[in-house]
Amino acid sequence: MKTLNKGSQPKIELEYSSIPKVFFDMIKVGIIKSNLIAMLAGLCLALYVFDASFIANIVPIILSVIGSSLIIGAAGVFNNLYDRDIDAIMERTRTRPTVTGQVDTKSGLILGITITVLGGILLYIASPSAAVFGILGLLLYVFPYTMWTKRTTIYNTEVGSLSGAVPPLIGWAAISPELGHFEIWALVVTMLLWQMPHFYGIAIRRFDEYKAAGVPMLPVVKGIRRTYIQTNVYLVLLLLSSFLFWPLSPLVAIVAFLVSLAWLILSVATFDRNQTKKWSHKMFIFSINHITIVFLVIIAYSLIAQLLR
């Protein structure tokens, strides 16, 4: 299997044994895993709210998990294709298949379109509304974020957060299209607010790379101090948003509040203007733990509470 990357990249002979790794690199498996937790949180929450049987809904659940994985993976593929010029400059992305020449534009487009169609079909079978949200999330990630704001404005993170907040809606819609319940919007708000301090941490860690690539991330354009202040503003909002879960469960609200408070304390207590990359690394690691804890608690509560009814 031979592919040729756009530009001056040499032709690369791709060994068949390397195909699985190249495929997983293209679809960004790590991002799929993190988004699936959010999707499952929305799904399990819907099972609880609508008192729907897990076993009776096993088919749409399986289809929505696979379909969501494919749609999220497709977003990664299109992002890799469009960003291969700046990926070649940044250290953490310069080994991506679209940069090394293992996957050319034509092959990447075929892969992206194929898994988009497959993912969309599976989501539609699970629930038409789940398919709508899945495609919406993909379009938001590819067009407003990747192809427009990522390279033009410091608000690219806010725009990108819109697509990042869609997975809970996919999971919820796989069980019911009814969106007039506060529980799902509490999840969406949490995802929206969480993403800013999370990605600001990445932007500071990779400050030099983003600057070299000309990507207008907030710390590159406005400086570390502005990013630090804005990070804390979003952390305070995230802390306050914890109370949105109170009608669902005081336990869930308290857990969300405590981990958000711990994150805010970490931000304020460990910030050092002379060691901002060390601080941003701590913030990044804690952000992963934060969202994982909150969503796992929501998943566990939804499943256990339903069993105890």
Side-chain angles (χ1 to χ4, degrees):
M1 179 179 176
K2 297 181 179 181
T3 58
L4 181 64
N5 197 23
K6 183 179 180 181
S8 59
Q9 284 288 353
K11 185 177 291 186
I12 299 295
E13 183 72 30
L14 183 60
E15 300 293 336
Y16 284 99
S17 60
S18 301
I19 292 178
K21 182 181 185 307
V22 170
F23 173 75
F24 291 133
D25 286 344
M26 285 292 291
I27 64 174
K28 302 184 179 180
V29 175
I31 294 178
I32 292 176
K33 291 178 180 178
S34 61
N35 279 278
L36 277 182
I37 295 177
M39 190 279 287
L40 288 172
L43 189 151
C44 292
L45 195 56
L47 288 174
Y48 169 72
V49 170
F50 296 103
D51 197 19
S53 167
F54 184 92
I55 300 300
N57 286 278
I58 192 65
V59 172
I61 288 173
I62 293 174
L63 291 177
S64 63
V65 169
I66 299 174
S68 296
S69 299
L70 291 173
I71 290 292
I72 297 166
V77 171
F78 294 131
N79 178 263
N80 280 339
L81 286 171
Y82 193 81
D83 280 351
R84 62 194 183 279
D85 57 334
I86 58 177
D87 284 347
I89 299 173
M90 300 179 66
E91 182 179 348
R92 74 181 179 90
T93 57
R94 62 180 52 170
T95 59
R96 285 178 176 171
T98 44
V99 176
T100 61
Q102 292 173 295
V103 176
D104 63 6
T105 303
K106 180 180 178 181
S107 300
L109 284 174
I110 291 174
L111 173 62
I113 293 171
T114 299
I115 62 178
T116 295
V117 173
L118 289 176
I121 291 174
L122 292 178
L123 284 178
Y124 185 84
I125 295 173
S127 164
S129 55
V132 170
F133 283 121
I135 298 301
L136 175 63
L138 172 65
L139 294 176
L140 286 172
Y141 187 78
V142 173
F143 294 105
Y145 172 65
T146 299
M147 298 183 70
W148 178 28
T149 58
K150 182 175 181 178
R151 300 176 186 235
T152 60
T153 174
I154 60 171
Y155 299 107
N156 51 21
T157 304
E158 281 79 358
V159 173
S161 71
L162 297 176
S163 62
V166 170
L169 287 165
I170 299 175
W172 178 280
I175 304 302
S176 173
E178 296 181 27
L179 297 176
H181 297 264
F182 70 89
E183 293 91 346
I184 182 57
W185 296 112
L187 273 182
V188 171
V189 169
T190 298
M191 278 298 290
L192 282 171
L193 295 174
W194 171 84
Q195 289 177 86
M196 262 62 79
H198 169 73
F199 285 110
Y200 289 158
I202 295 175
I204 293 177
R205 287 178 66 202
R206 301 292 180 175
F207 180 94
D208 296 332
E209 296 177 43
Y210 281 118
K211 184 176 181 180
V215 180
M217 300 301 290
L218 182 64
V220 174
V221 178
K222 296 296 184 178
I224 301 297
R225 185 67 182 176
R226 161 72 178 272
T227 306
Y228 168 69
I229 294 173
Q230 202 155 309
T231 293
N232 291 333
V233 169
Y234 279 116
L235 288 178
V236 169
L237 293 174
L238 185 64
L239 184 69
L240 295 175
S241 72
S242 303
F243 294 105
L244 294 174
F245 292 109
W246 193 272
L248 168 67
S249 164
L251 173 63
V252 172
I254 291 171
V255 170
F257 179 86
L258 289 177
V259 291
S260 296
L261 179 61
W263 193 3
L264 178 60
I265 292 173
L266 175 71
S267 175
V268 175
T270 66
F271 180 76
D272 184 341
R273 68 180 63 186
N274 297 317
Q275 299 186 53
T276 55
K277 289 189 177 181
K278 183 178 180 181
W279 172 80
S280 66
H281 179 70
K282 293 178 182 178
M283 293 290 287
F284 170 75
I285 296 300
F286 196 93
S287 70
I288 300 298
N289 293 327
H290 173 282
I291 204 66
T292 301
I293 291 171
V294 171
F295 281 157
L296 286 181
V297 167
I298 290 172
I299 290 171
Y301 174 82
S302 299
L303 296 178
I304 294 172
Q306 185 179 23
L307 289 175
L308 296 177
R309 276 176 169 168

